[in-house]
């Protein structure tokens, strides 16, 4: 079997690739989780007031985010903590009833979030869950508000864009077992591999074969 010194010449074309991020996916999963709680209207981003007759209601929106570098080596990677604001509102005929309804809804929110399998697939930790509760009176109606700041930790890795696509390849062979004993050839394909004359084996500086490969696009 013939052996050869071979060379490749490749042609590429630009092909953009998007970066991978997790915040949009997280918000979508959280929204789906909150919408699974029965008898509660869910709004996102929830940048408007909800009238008392339409309560109970939950509002959810992204808050702050912090990225912590995973180190200098390898691709750019972060351990990211994204904070989400979740606000729940209820109404009742008394302050005690509003507080009880608020505590019940808060427990349902936490149970739905922390038991969610889809969320656990993309979140590696919940580093904090801060909760504030407030009950106020509006005439004969009492309104309870629960504010949750939930931190969700996940890893983001930004691999360099592979923005080239292989279009063609040229293969040149200068065989080692097919050789001119005394010939010297200008512009050899592999000058550093040429065996000086007189020789008993190649490469001798001349190409015995060339192949051009075109790849489908």
């Amino acid at each position: 079997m013939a052996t050869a010194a071979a060379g490749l010449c490749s042609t590429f074309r630009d092909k953009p690739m998007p970066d991978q991020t997790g915040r949009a996916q997280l918000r979508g999963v959280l929204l789906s989780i909150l919408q699974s709680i029965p008898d509660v209207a869910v709004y996102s981003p929830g940048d408007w007031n909800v009238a008392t007759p339409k309560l109970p209601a939950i509002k959810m929106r992204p808050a702050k985010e912090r990225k912590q570098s995973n180190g200098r080596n390898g691709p750019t990677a972060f351990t990211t903590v994204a904070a989400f604001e979740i606000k729940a509102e209820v109404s009742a005929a008394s302050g005690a009833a509003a507080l009880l309804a608020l505590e019940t809804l808060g427990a349902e929110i936490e149970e739905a979030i922390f038991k969610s399998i889809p969320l656990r697939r993309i979140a590696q930790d919940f580093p904090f869950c801060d909760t504030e509760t407030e009950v106020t009176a509006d005439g004969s109606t009492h309104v309870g508000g629960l504010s949750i700041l939930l931190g969700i930790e996940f890893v983001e890795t930004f691999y360099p864009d592979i923005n080239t696509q292989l279009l063609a390849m040229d293969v040149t062979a200068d065989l080692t077992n097919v050789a001119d004993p005394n010939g010297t050839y200008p512009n050899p394909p592999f000058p550093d591999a040429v065996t000086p004359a007189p020789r008993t084996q190649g490469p001798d500086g001349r190409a015995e074969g060339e192949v051009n490969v075109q790849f489908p696009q």
Side-chain angles (χ1 to χ4, degrees), residues 11-74:
T11 304
F12 296 90
R13 182 173 65 194
D14 288 344
K15 185 177 181 182
M17 295 181 65
D19 285 330
Q20 176 185 354
T21 57
R23 61 192 58 78
Q25 183 182 10
L26 272 178
R27 190 177 72 86
V29 171
L30 270 178
L31 188 59
S32 177
I33 291 170
L34 296 175
Q35 289 171 338
S36 70
I37 300 174
D39 303 321
V40 181
V42 179
Y43 304 95
S44 181
D47 53 350
W48 57 87
N49 292 326
V50 179
T52 301
K54 295 184 178 181
L55 298 179
I58 298 173
K59 303 175 185 178
M60 190 272 291
R61 65 181 180 183
K64 61 183 180 179
E65 179 179 297
R66 179 176 176 82
K67 298 181 188 293
Q68 181 69 40
S69 173
N70 288 349
R72 297 183 177 90
N73 298 325

Side-chain angles (χ1 to χ4, degrees), residues 51-182:
T52 301
K54 295 184 178 181
L55 298 179
I58 298 173
K59 303 175 185 178
M60 190 272 291
R61 65 181 180 183
K64 61 183 180 179
E65 179 179 297
R66 179 176 176 82
K67 298 181 188 293
Q68 181 69 40
S69 173
N70 288 349
R72 297 183 177 90
N73 298 325
T76 303
F78 300 94
T79 296
T80 301
V81 176
F84 290 85
E85 292 180 352
I86 301 172
K87 295 185 177 181
E89 294 179 311
V90 301
S91 64
S94 68
L99 181 58
L100 180 60
L102 198 60
E103 290 171 338
T104 300
L105 181 55
E108 290 178 327
I109 292 172
E110 290 185 355
E111 183 178 30
I113 290 174
F114 297 132
K115 288 186 176 182
S116 170
I117 294 176
L119 182 58
R120 289 301 312 192
R121 289 194 183 109
I122 56 178
Q124 68 177 20
D125 194 17
F126 302 98
F128 58 85
C129 180
D130 300 332
T131 304
E132 294 183 8
T133 303
E134 183 181 15
V135 177
T136 59
D138 183 11
S140 61
T141 302
H142 294 258
V143 176
L146 183 72
S147 179
I148 299 173
L149 185 64
L150 175 67
I152 301 178
E153 181 181 285
F154 57 99
V155 174
E156 290 183 291
T157 302
F158 296 84
Y159 294 98
D161 286 341
I162 303 174
N163 55 7
T164 54
Q165 182 179 6
L166 187 62
L167 299 177
M169 179 183 296
D170 292 324
V171 181
T172 302
D174 188 351
L175 303 179
T176 60
N177 62 345
V178 177
D180 181 347
N182 300 304

